[in-house]
Amino acid sequence: MKQPTPYDVIVVGSGAGGGMSAYVLAKRGLKVLMLEAGRDYKPEEETPMFNTNAEAPLRGVSTPDKPFGYYDATVDGGWTVPGEPYTTAPGDREFMWWRPRMLGGRTNHWGRISLRFGPYDFKPYSRDGLGVDWPISYDELAPWYDKTEKIVGITGAGQLGLENTPDSPPGILHDTPTPRLHEIMMTRAFEAMGIPVAPMRAAVIQKPMDGRSACFYATSCGRGCSIKAMFQTTTVLIPPALATGNLDIITDAMVYTVDMGKDGRAKGVTYIDRVSGEHKSVTAKAVVLAASAAETARILLNSKDGRNPDGVANSSGTAGKYLMDTVGTDSGGHIPMLEGMPSRNDDGMSGAHIYVPWWGYQQQARKELPFPRGYHIEVGGGQRMPGMGIGDLADYSDVPFGAGLRKQMRHYYGSDIGFAGRGEMIPNDDCYAEIDPDIKDRFGIPVLRFHWKWSEHEIGQAAHMRKTFHEIIDRLGGKVTYGFETDGEKAIAAGGEIIHEVGCARMGDNPKTSVVNKWGQAWDVKNLFITDGAVLPSNPDKNPTLTILSLAMRNANYLADEAAKGNL
């Protein structure tokens, strides 16, 4: 049956890359069909913003199917999706693949930290000979960062002038809420070590904008946001795109192939209706893949035909290659100075109000550090709404139960702090995804098999993170309570655990070594674009979502320009 609407573009995915692509293309007047593998999701109606932990099963604690707690916004997905497995190659380290199955994808769950990549981050090979350079510079992407930040709404106003940590032009960012007590103490300790501290840049608006309410610090952003203060594509990008009348959305539509025409152009995609199990095909003049880095690679590699025996857009053989995550580890400590404090309201944004940008560029230039690239530090602590984890305070008490125990737990409440490091991973040949030759999902589609190995660069970085955390805790007069190990091999998080998976279809200036050009356009198929994290050639320490959004805005505008010229 002929499809009723002749679409200009099919967008696969509704997260950061897909949501921004659909927003731009619909606003530019193109007819867009968005296909989302998960179910429909309406944060305004489904977010439990005012529920207490006491109202949740097991008081909201983490469970295998809800690892971030009962109220986490992710539905129908996570590190496991029933009937939709993935595998790890024998002998390799585990790679953990997070997949939400809902409209908006990971933007309903993400940490909201929104840092611009710096000038060094676009030309890493030129600085230290490792990895590859991007085919674009910071200056080329900077105007798109500006536009994206205005739409998203991000804190962090101010001009700091820090190395490789770009400031935004005045007037774009919102003010970050005032640092809390423990954050002020941490700042003094960091600055005593010569390490600068910056206001947190978070996608949580502090003043009303575009029909969105300012954050009033109700509960964790991880639950979603019914007042639209926290950025989700489901509240910020998709509604205005729908309002143009140019966007249609089909949910529970899991795309598994790009369908090719005899002319070597993409003619559409085929997907499975995850409810009925039916296989359906749709057509358009162009296709945008934004299913998440690894899922986009899976689609490319499963799109085999006589002309593309190794998958579509894979003449370079690099589809699925150079998979990356963020380097991560953490530590925490108990600070006696914070014991016995009067009760206070530390709520604020659900994340921290400060962060620590990487400070070691000059040390590395002098070859004083035993690893390349850097990391930033995220902090935690304070007197927030208590969860079941408050029970750990009983470990400090010498009273086993009753009123005496409660009194001592109140005394210790708010005296624990935590640190998390988030560092750059350099792409390597040992980390990639391929099609598993034996395993298929419940729909009969071949699944991904991951290969994963941290290099000495990341392991050295993790060790440095732990030592830095321990020194800060010591300077505050405290003792380390978790994250003791300083052997980077043992301290580093599993691949995929930080949920910053990028790469697998990198951009470049050479079709023999990359999948797409600097516009996210496949070298082999000129009407096929990729706008998710798959195109990142490297994974700097700054969280990737803001850059994915900015690249998607830039490249979707290029697509629209090319369509207007009749070039697609």
Side-chain angles (χ1 to χ4, degrees):
M1 184 176 72
K2 186 177 180 181
Q3 103 188 11
T5 303
Y7 292 106
D8 295 308
V9 185
I10 294 169
V11 175
V12 180
S14 61
M20 181 61 85
S21 299
Y23 171 85
V24 170
L25 296 168
K27 287 269 189 178
R28 292 286 301 268
L30 281 75
K31 290 291 184 183
V32 179
L33 174 64
M34 173 182 280
L35 298 173
E36 163 54 46
R39 71 163 173 86
D40 194 10
Y41 173 66
K42 293 182 172 57
E44 301 94 323
E45 301 171 6
E46 299 188 54
T47 304
M49 283 188 67
F50 304 105
N51 295 36
T52 65
N53 289 328
E55 298 174 68
L58 302 175
R59 292 186 180 268
V61 299
S62 300
T63 56
D65 62 332
K66 297 287 286 186
F68 290 89
Y70 179 79
Y71 287 125
D72 180 66
T74 302
V75 294
D76 295 339
W79 277 306
T80 59
V81 179
E84 299 176 32
Y86 57 90
T87 63
T88 299
D92 277 359
R93 295 184 70 153
E94 179 186 21
F95 182 82
M96 303 168 67
W97 188 19
W98 183 272
R99 292 167 295 168
R101 288 288 186 245
M102 60 199 299
L103 191 67
R106 296 181 191 177
T107 66
N108 300 306
H109 162 89
W110 68 308
R112 301 157 298 282
I113 296 176
S114 302
L115 310 175
R116 293 185 179 209
F117 292 2
Y120 299 168
D121 301 323
F122 291 84
K123 303 297 175 185
Y125 178 81
S126 295
R127 295 191 70 243
D128 58 23
L130 298 171
V132 294
D133 285 342
W134 291 44
I136 61 173
S137 66
Y138 171 76
D139 289 341
E140 290 177 77
L141 194 58
W144 301 99
Y145 276 132
D146 297 350
K147 297 173 192 291
T148 300
E149 288 172 345
K150 287 178 180 175
I151 294 172
V152 170
I154 295 172
T155 64
Q159 302 295 302
L160 302 178
L162 298 174
E163 187 174 14
N164 198 39
T165 306
D167 296 318
S168 300
I172 292 180
L173 300 183
H174 298 212
D175 290 330
T176 303
T178 303
R180 308 167 174 105
L181 173 61
H182 67 284
E183 293 169 338
I184 294 170
M185 292 177 61
M186 291 174 175
T187 298
R188 291 175 179 170
F190 278 114
E191 290 179 346
M193 294 171 64
I195 298 174
V197 175
M200 176 55 79
R201 296 173 68 120
V204 182
I205 61 174
Q206 304 300 306
K207 55 188 177 185
M209 57 179 280
D210 303 329
R212 301 164 60 190
S213 299
C215 180
F216 54 82
Y217 316 136
T219 45
S220 167
C221 296
R223 299 182 177 202
C225 189
S226 64
I227 65 168
K228 310 176 187 178
M230 185 263 281
F231 173 82
Q232 300 166 266
T233 60
T234 35
T235 55
V236 179
L237 298 179
I238 293 176
L242 286 169
T244 65
N246 292 326
L247 174 65
D248 292 334
I249 300 174
I250 301 177
T251 54
D252 288 308
M254 190 172 78
V255 172
Y256 64 93
T257 61
V258 175
D259 301 327
M260 298 297 294
K262 294 180 180 178
D263 59 357
R265 294 152 50 91
K267 64 179 183 181
V269 300
T270 296
Y271 67 91
I272 289 175
D273 184 319
R274 293 178 72 248
V275 176
S276 69
E278 292 180 79
H279 295 243
K280 301 179 179 179
S281 297
V282 287
T283 62
K285 297 175 183 174
V287 173
V288 171
L289 295 182
S292 86
E295 192 69 53
T296 286
R298 184 188 179 198
I299 294 169
L300 293 175
L301 295 170
N302 272 327
S303 302
K304 297 179 181 179
D305 58 27
R307 298 176 62 173
N308 302 284
D310 298 318
V312 164
N314 194 26
S315 64
S316 66
T318 59
K321 300 294 178 62
Y322 309 115
L323 171 68
M324 295 165 281
D325 189 27
T326 290
V327 181
T329 194
D330 56 12
S331 287
H334 177 73
I335 311 298
M337 269 193 300
L338 290 170
E339 294 175 7
M341 292 287 177
S343 296
R344 60 187 187 275
N345 184 351
D346 273 351
D347 283 349
M349 295 196 299
S350 66
H353 292 176
I354 62 168
Y355 84 104
V356 180
W358 175 237
W359 63 94
Y361 297 108
Q362 292 305 309
Q363 287 176 276
Q364 287 174 324
R366 297 191 296 270
K367 302 191 183 304
E368 295 174 356
L369 292 177
F371 59 91
R373 315 294 169 84
Y375 60 89
H376 73 263
I377 299 173
E378 301 167 10
V379 305
Q383 294 186 356
R384 313 290 293 276
M385 178 187 287
M388 287 297 284
I390 195 174
D392 293 343
L393 293 177
D395 293 342
Y396 303 135
S397 174
D398 55 8
V399 181
F401 57 84
L405 174 61
R406 286 196 296 274
K407 181 179 180 180
Q408 290 211 3
M409 289 179 69
R410 290 192 181 100
H411 175 80
Y412 292 117
Y413 183 48
S415 58
D416 284 350
I417 61 173
F419 301 93
R422 296 290 180 260
E424 174 163 357
M425 177 182 178
I426 299 171
N428 68 64
D429 293 335
D430 295 317
C431 295
Y432 60 97
E434 62 180 356
I435 298 300
D436 191 301
D438 302 315
I439 308 297
K440 297 180 179 179
D441 66 16
R442 64 187 173 106
F443 305 110
I445 308 304
V447 307
L448 283 182
R449 179 169 65 183
F450 290 100
H451 296 254
W452 190 261
K453 182 181 179 182
W454 293 113
S455 77
E456 61 181 330
H457 308 311
E458 291 81 39
I459 290 170
Q461 200 180 90
H464 193 270
M465 290 179 187
R466 280 275 172 90
K467 292 170 185 173
T468 302
F469 303 156
H470 294 180
E471 181 172 350
I472 291 292
I473 292 168
D474 182 64
R475 283 173 175 266
L476 291 172
K479 292 184 177 180
V480 177
T481 53
Y482 65 87
F484 296 96
E485 181 63 66
T486 56
D487 179 343
E489 181 79 43
K490 298 176 181 176
I492 196 167
E497 189 173 358
I498 308 301
I499 319 180
H500 287 171
E501 125 243 352
V502 298
C504 292
R506 70 183 183 188
M507 70 170 104
D509 53 16
N510 185 342
K512 294 182 179 179
T513 58
S514 55
V515 174
V516 299
N517 64 20
K518 69 176 185 178
W519 302 106
Q521 183 180 29
W523 290 110
D524 301 343
V525 186
K526 72 175 185 179
N527 66 335
L528 174 62
F529 288 75
I530 298 174
T531 62
D532 58 23
V535 303
L536 268 61
S538 63
N539 192 20
D541 72 279
K542 292 91 170 174
N543 306 35
T545 302
L546 178 66
T547 298
I548 293 171
L549 285 164
S550 303
L551 282 170
M553 177 187 279
R554 170 184 179 270
N555 296 348
N557 271 288
Y558 174 81
L559 191 164
D561 291 342
E562 290 297 289
K565 297 173 186 173
N567 290 341
L568 299 179

